[in-house]
Amino acid sequence: MRRKSAGPVGTARQDGPGTPEPGGAPESAHGDWLTLGKDGRLSLYVPADGGLVRWTETVAGGPGWSGPHVVPAPGLTHLTVVQGADTYVHFLGRRERERADGALGVDVVHAIQYQTGLAFTEWRSLGNPHRDREQGRRLGPPVGAVAADGTVHVFVRNAHGGLALRRESPNGKWRAWEDLQGGETDALPAPLALAGGRLEVCAASASGVLVWRQTAPGGDFTGPRGFALRPLPGTVTALETGPDRATFFWTDADSAGAAAWREGDWPVALGGSPAGQGYASLRTAVDGYDCVVLAHRERDGSVTLGMGGTENEAGGFWWYPLGESCQGVPALARDGHGRVVLALIGSDGAPKVARQDDGAGLSFTRWHTLGR
């Protein structure tokens, strides 16, 4: 992989209401914060004080972007972005706000963007699995996945350290909160919607790894089943690497390097020196080979890209420093022309993107900084 010099500042414009501060984002959102719409255009979403900020490609494949467009959402303490096979983009937030009696209330909120670059729905409260207000304030950040039938599943660590679930029914109505049990669970479990319709969830815990598996599409969850493994909390990432089969990537707590694990096998060490955060992951073809691409933030703040054969981790995994610093976790997606795009939040809070060029392997064009 070769690297090219950083690109010039982009020409994106301010075109939204001015409630949140675009520069107020401390780091990236969680989840799929770089998404591909049905029309082939990418969108990029960044948390901001009082809401979030969106940039959108002007045409499929770029290189121009419109934005920033700001979306007010007061009180958000955490933002997760997930996308379904129908390309709808779902936004999950943990919200804190003062109630009428002056006490602090916490709930989970949800909004949807149905079409690229267009308006969001209103933010809808999904409530809190705890009726006790003090327990409710200890609620973790929501993460989510969208099943193959389009139903949204929201997972959150509850005040007891277990996993709570709220999900849609096929008719679009939200079911009540469900207690999936577990204990001392990581605040950021990794749910995965498999193409066959089921969901799986993997989370680090004080005792090792916990895995929940859906029995059938739309069915109940079994587990958690525990495994004596040692992922670093906050680093578990999930990717479908075979038919109805998940591979989980994380940072090993003992070696401090990246690792890949599938249920029924031992973890495979991938090397690298990631910081204690998650990974961006993507399965794509590179020079005709089925590959997994990972991106993470190094301990020194720089971004590194990794690549290896899908479910062939023992055959070698290669890491390439990209010479850029970032905040939070990078994002990976394919653009409307099928090229890999890497996005990050720079040290100054501005998002940057680099796009796969036409050469062999996985080399990238210059970095393009989106306007603020």
Side-chain angles (χ1 to χ4, degrees), residues 80-86 88-93 108-114 126 142-155 165-178 191 193 197 199 214 218 221:
T80 291
V81 185
V82 295
Q83 187 177 30
D86 55 12
Y88 298 164
V89 184
H90 298 265
F91 304 88
L92 305 172
V108 174
V109 291
H110 170 236
I112 310 171
Q113 179 186 275
Y114 289 108
L126 301 182
V143 298
V146 183
D149 65 359
T151 56
V152 182
H153 293 61
V154 181
F155 301 88
L165 163 68
R166 192 163 191 200
R167 52 176 159 165
E168 286 183 304
S169 299
N171 63 7
K173 293 184 178 180
W174 286 89
R175 297 168 57 169
W177 284 99
E178 303 170 49
L199 270 71
Q214 201 172 27
F221 284 80

Side-chain angles (χ1 to χ4, degrees), residues 216-228:
D220 294 331
F221 284 80
T222 63
R225 184 180 178 190
F227 298 87

Side-chain angles (χ1 to χ4, degrees), residues 76-223:
L76 290 189
T77 65
H78 180 94
L79 175 69
T80 291
V81 185
V82 295
Q83 187 177 30
D86 55 12
T87 74
Y88 298 164
V89 184
H90 298 265
F91 304 88
L92 305 172
R94 181 186 182 276
R95 180 173 64 179
E96 293 183 354
R97 55 182 176 174
E98 186 175 326
R99 299 188 183 277
D101 61 1
L104 182 67
V106 172
D107 65 347
V108 174
V109 291
H110 170 236
I112 310 171
Q113 179 186 275
Y114 289 108
Q115 289 183 270
T116 305
L118 297 186
F120 289 27
T121 64
E122 295 293 326
W123 292 88
R124 173 178 179 174
S125 176
L126 301 182
N128 190 310
H130 297 290
R131 293 187 177 183
D132 180 83
R133 188 171 297 173
E134 179 57 37
Q135 291 182 346
R137 285 196 285 264
R138 301 204 300 272
L139 194 69
V143 298
V146 183
D149 65 359
T151 56
V152 182
H153 293 61
V154 181
F155 301 88
V156 61
R157 185 183 66 183
N158 61 33
H160 310 299
L163 195 63
L165 163 68
R166 192 163 191 200
R167 52 176 159 165
E168 286 183 304
S169 299
N171 63 7
K173 293 184 178 180
W174 286 89
R175 297 168 57 169
W177 284 99
E178 303 170 49
D179 185 359
L180 300 187
Q181 304 298 318
E184 299 183 275
T185 304
D186 181 16
L188 291 173
L192 177 65
L194 298 163
R198 293 189 312 104
L199 270 71
E200 295 188 7
V201 187
C202 180
S205 75
S207 59
V209 166
L210 299 177
V211 176
W212 294 258
R213 293 170 59 91
Q214 201 172 27
T215 55
D220 294 331
F221 284 80
T222 63

